Amino acid sequence: MPPPYEGVQVNSCRNPACSGFGVEALSKVDRGRPRADGTSKFDNYRANGDDGGTADQKLLCKLCGKTSPIKSNRAIQEERERISANLAPVPEPACPNAECENASKGVFTDPEAYSCHANLKSSKRLKCKACGAAFSVATKSTHGQRKPHENKTVFAEIVTKKAVRGISKVTGLRPKAVYDKTDFIYEQCRRFAGAREARAHLIKRDYVRLCTDRQDYLINWQTKRRRKNVQFTSICTVEGKTGYVLGHHLNYDPDVNQTDIDDAARMNGDGLPGARSYFSAQPQYWKSDEFYGVARQQETDIRPGLEEGELSVEDRILLKARMERGYPKQEMADFPARENQLPTDGAMTHLDYTSYAHAMLMRRLIGDARYLTIYSDQDEVLRGAFTAAFSWQIAQGKAEMAYVQFQKRMNIDEKRVLSNISRAKTAKLGKLWNCHEEVAIARHMAWEYAQLCARYPDWRHRWVSHPKDTINEPRRRIQYLTDTGRKDLMNIGWTLSGASLAYVDTYFMQIRRQLQYLERPIPTQTNANKLYYGYSAYDPHRVTQHLEIFRVYTNYVQTDDHGQTPAMKFGLAKGPIRMEDILYYWPF
């Protein structure tokens, strides 16, 4: 088994009803009879069978008989460090001479170690008093810019769906200058948000509600000789009480090279028969041979989704479960199709490793909340990631998780009719239970859940109907995922009655409408159903940048009808933040 890495061990039983839930598997166990002195190492797990016909095995819990995929703890920790790098303090400039005694003394915290020879508009020319080395340091975020006054305009145009050419016309900047300013805005957003989110875990919270889902994006091909889309998947989590977007991460790393990854895999023997992915050199990245080997086995050109089509909520649930059983490997939700390709720059990460890292980052950001509920779309990857990250809280009864599915592709008139009918239904429930409507809904759903538990031993068949239809989520169905057998039935009813993905779905809708890179593609007869965006990015790193810029804008700048931002409600800001405060933020 993969050993723990820097305190991370996700390989454990995922069945909350099992006494071994969350108990970490040992990396090595002793074989044969136990030693008389009692020093033998044993656990209640066994590496069992294969995963998708590969050499990978699954972790079988001997106590409950349930299996779960085996992951590399090192790869998860490395991925978590990558997506949370902005939370680390920005290193302060110091003497460039590594052998100098002042190499560890910052120019702002220890100014007496340096002498200032020139104080310019946005920089200083300093000289080290110990070794005499002369160097320059920036004193403003806009150092080196000729037109810093256009930063705010570019920022505002990016978050309101303006193409690069349109921004060029408005600002008079050349396209390259627009891209340079996008790089600058992205770095400033990361620095500004990172400085505040680094202390988010210090805030005491009584109750946190996490709404998580994933969204696919297609990127244009860069050459006509290879007309294949790059298909990425992002994971987003929104805090439901405040609307604060805690994280939105793409399964893409722009700072590595695909050739280097493939070379490291060959040197490690990852492609040899019997090699297991969780022992490979870099398990979190797709290898070229692995990617195109999976793609050749698929029947569709583009990885299918459930966004289109007139499906009832029951059919959607069944189809999603069937799709997950058809993955090439368990939790390989990002498998490529025949007309997908790897990005030419950077590398694509495995969605499951990005999801596990994302869930662990969420655990860090919310800190030691007294109580937590997690609502997600019907998704085995998200379930595995969040139950692994919050296994201790779930076992202690401090966290619960549930799936949410609802009817999509309905017009507004149909939704209003259902909403009006549900009002009469919930009013009737209030009279039946002789209590407030919300309490009656929780009691009704708890009673229905108890009936499903008696009828179906397998939790996968326990979908509870929500009696209240809303405009955003008509015909909701909720599946409770963390029944430890020790939960009070009424508490489960409250968790079921409050289940909603409206917060993250609204944010996804805003992304589609306000980021020109991420609008939905339109297949036509002329392009033979190959999806091509008129305004989309050719460089996937631009997608990463725009997602982070829009996240920071939504959290700190955009206000609601009461003049409040999500950051104010979440405790990371005292008032609305101006764009200038982000653009000119300086960490020293």
Side-chain angles (χ1 to χ4, degrees):
M1 291 290 295
Y5 186 82
E6 297 184 1
V8 175
Q9 174 57 281
V10 301
N11 297 305
S12 63
C13 179
R14 306 284 176 80
N15 179 14
C18 178
S19 60
F21 173 71
V23 178
E24 299 177 356
L26 298 177
S27 58
K28 292 182 180 181
V29 295
D30 293 330
R31 302 175 66 180
R33 294 180 179 179
R35 298 190 186 98
D37 57 1
T39 59
S40 299
K41 292 184 178 180
F42 291 100
D43 59 16
N44 291 312
Y45 299 105
R46 184 172 71 245
N48 183 64
D50 56 30
D51 190 355
T54 66
D56 289 356
Q57 292 183 304
K58 295 182 181 181
L59 183 66
L60 172 68
C61 177
K62 299 177 184 178
L63 299 177
C64 64
K66 304 295 184 181
T67 61
S68 57
I70 300 174
K71 304 295 180 185
S72 167
N73 301 297
R74 174 178 55 81
I76 292 175
Q77 176 63 8
E78 290 175 353
E79 184 69 1
R80 182 173 68 168
E81 291 175 353
R82 182 185 72 82
I83 65 176
S84 62
N86 65 315
L87 301 182
V90 179
E92 186 178 350
C95 179
N97 183 6
E99 298 180 355
C100 177
E101 63 183 32
N102 289 342
S104 60
K105 295 182 179 180
V107 299
F108 299 105
T109 55
D110 295 299
E112 65 279 357
Y114 305 93
S115 60
C116 181
H117 283 202
N119 197 350
L120 305 178
K121 186 176 181 180
S122 61
S123 64
K124 286 183 178 181
R125 186 69 179 172
L126 302 178
K127 185 176 182 180
C128 178
K129 293 181 179 180
C131 66
F135 58 99
S136 297
V137 294
T139 56
K140 292 183 179 180
S141 64
T142 56
H143 174 64
Q145 295 187 14
R146 294 183 179 181
K147 295 183 178 181
H149 58 280
E150 297 291 357
N151 293 330
K152 181 181 177 181
T153 304
V154 176
F155 195 162
E157 298 286 3
I158 286 175
V159 297
T160 53
K161 202 175 183 178
K162 183 64 71 69
V164 173
R165 290 185 180 181
I167 299 175
S168 298
K169 291 180 180 179
V170 170
T171 60
L173 299 172
R174 293 183 177 182
K176 183 182 182 304
V178 174
Y179 286 127
D180 291 341
K181 289 195 175 296
T182 302
D183 295 338
F184 165 75
I185 296 169
Y186 168 68
E187 291 299 331
Q188 285 299 108
C189 285
R190 282 177 55 82
R191 285 181 178 179
F192 179 86
R196 297 188 176 225
E197 290 175 350
R199 62 176 188 269
H201 65 283
L202 301 176
I203 302 174
K204 299 297 182 182
R205 307 183 191 277
D206 288 333
Y207 174 62
V208 175
R209 175 185 297 183
L210 300 183
C211 304
T212 184
D213 200 356
R214 55 187 174 94
Q215 192 174 46
D216 287 349
Y217 305 122
L218 292 179
I219 310 299
N220 285 338
W221 50 85
Q222 296 187 7
T223 173
K224 294 181 179 179
R225 295 190 298 272
R226 191 177 183 82
R227 300 194 180 195
K228 292 187 176 183
N229 295 101
V230 181
Q231 191 168 2
F232 290 112
T233 304
S234 66
I235 305 101
C236 180
T237 298
V238 180
E239 204 289 308
K241 291 182 61 181
T242 62
Y244 190 89
V245 185
L246 291 165
H248 194 182
H249 301 114
L250 201 68
N251 63 331
Y252 172 71
D253 187 351
D255 299 322
V256 297
N257 184 274
Q258 187 67 50
T259 302
D260 295 339
I261 293 172
D262 293 340
D263 290 345
R266 281 191 288 269
M267 293 179 64
N268 194 54
D270 296 346
L272 298 177
R276 298 171 185 173
S277 66
Y278 39 83
F279 288 125
S280 62
Q282 295 170 305
Q284 67 269 40
Y285 296 114
W286 278 96
K287 287 41 170 207
S288 297
D289 295 343
E290 175 193 18
F291 184 89
Y292 293 110
V294 173
R296 285 192 295 267
Q297 298 173 6
Q298 305 308 311
E299 297 179 355
T300 58
D301 290 342
I302 299 296
R303 185 172 69 246
L306 295 179
E307 296 298 323
E308 308 294 336
E310 302 292 338
L311 293 174
S312 66
V313 62
E314 290 80 9
D315 291 340
R316 185 177 295 275
I317 290 171
L318 294 175
L319 181 57
K320 187 64 180 290
R322 193 181 309 124
M323 289 177 59
E324 290 181 336
R325 289 195 299 268
Y327 288 165
K329 282 176 54 179
Q330 190 174 359
E331 293 190 353
M332 188 183 278
D334 59 337
F335 64 91
R338 292 182 303 179
E339 293 300 321
N340 290 142
Q341 65 172 323
L342 288 169
T344 55
D345 298 314
M348 184 183 295
T349 63
H350 282 286
L351 179 65
D352 50 347
Y353 281 98
T354 303
S355 299
Y356 279 75
H358 173 91
M360 290 186 173
L361 177 59
M362 298 303 102
R363 186 182 65 186
R364 170 182 174 176
L365 292 177
I366 65 174
D368 188 19
R370 187 178 64 85
Y371 201 75
L372 167 72
T373 54
I374 307 165
Y375 298 119
S376 80
D377 189 20
Q378 182 185 355
D379 193 311
E380 283 292 305
V381 178
L382 295 178
R383 184 183 72 88
F386 278 87
T387 53
F390 293 93
S391 59
W392 182 85
Q393 290 88 337
I394 294 172
Q396 294 293 320
K398 294 184 176 181
E400 297 178 280
M401 186 174 183
Y403 280 159
V404 182
Q405 276 286 13
F406 56 92
Q407 184 73 51
K408 299 184 180 180
R409 294 296 171 183
M410 296 180 67
N411 60 51
I412 188 63
D413 294 328
E414 293 173 332
K415 293 179 180 179
R416 285 174 178 167
V417 169
L418 285 176
S419 179
N420 293 334
I421 294 174
S422 72
R423 289 196 190 100
K425 187 188 301 183
T426 54
K428 186 177 179 180
L429 285 176
K431 294 179 180 179
L432 178 65
W433 291 94
N434 192 25
C435 58
H436 189 271
E437 288 185 9
E438 296 299 326
V439 180
I441 291 173
R443 288 182 176 177
H444 171 76
M445 297 188 73
W447 174 75
E448 187 175 343
Y449 177 76
Q451 285 190 319
L452 290 173
C453 289
R455 190 183 310 167
Y456 301 109
D458 189 355
W459 62 269
R460 298 180 186 275
H461 300 291
R462 303 171 188 168
W463 285 93
V464 182
S465 301
H466 202 297
K468 186 175 183 178
D469 292 314
T470 62
I471 298 295
N472 291 332
E473 297 174 319
R475 295 175 180 165
R476 263 181 294 174
R477 302 291 185 270
I478 318 299
Q479 187 176 69
Y480 190 66
L481 302 176
T482 52
D483 193 346
T484 60
R486 302 182 299 274
K487 297 291 296 185
D488 181 75
L489 191 59
M490 192 57 192
N491 286 344
I492 296 177
W494 280 114
T495 301
L496 296 172
S497 65
S500 174
L501 293 179
Y503 311 98
V504 66
D505 286 341
T506 299
Y507 181 68
F508 280 162
M509 178 191 66
Q510 293 174 350
I511 286 176
R512 293 295 193 188
R513 292 182 176 179
Q514 294 182 241
L515 291 182
Q516 57 94 18
Y517 276 159
L518 301 176
E519 64 179 356
R520 293 188 182 277
I522 303 176
T524 64
Q525 294 181 354
T526 57
N527 62 17
N529 291 328
K530 295 183 184 295
L531 301 178
Y532 183 85
Y533 295 79
Y535 293 98
S536 184
Y538 297 90
D539 182 1
H541 187 41
R542 299 298 174 188
V543 176
T544 303
Q545 291 180 333
H546 280 221
L547 288 177
E548 182 65 11
I549 291 171
F550 190 75
R551 185 184 78 90
V552 174
Y553 169 80
T554 302
N555 285 336
Y556 293 93
V557 181
Q558 188 170 262
T559 58
D560 59 13
D561 296 337
H562 303 286
Q564 289 192 312
T565 64
M568 295 169 61
K569 302 175 186 177
F570 195 63
L572 295 183
K574 295 182 179 180
I577 304 297
R578 301 179 305 158
M579 290 185 180
E580 293 88 344
D581 297 331
I582 299 174
L583 295 171
Y584 306 128
Y585 168 76
W586 190 240
F588 308 116

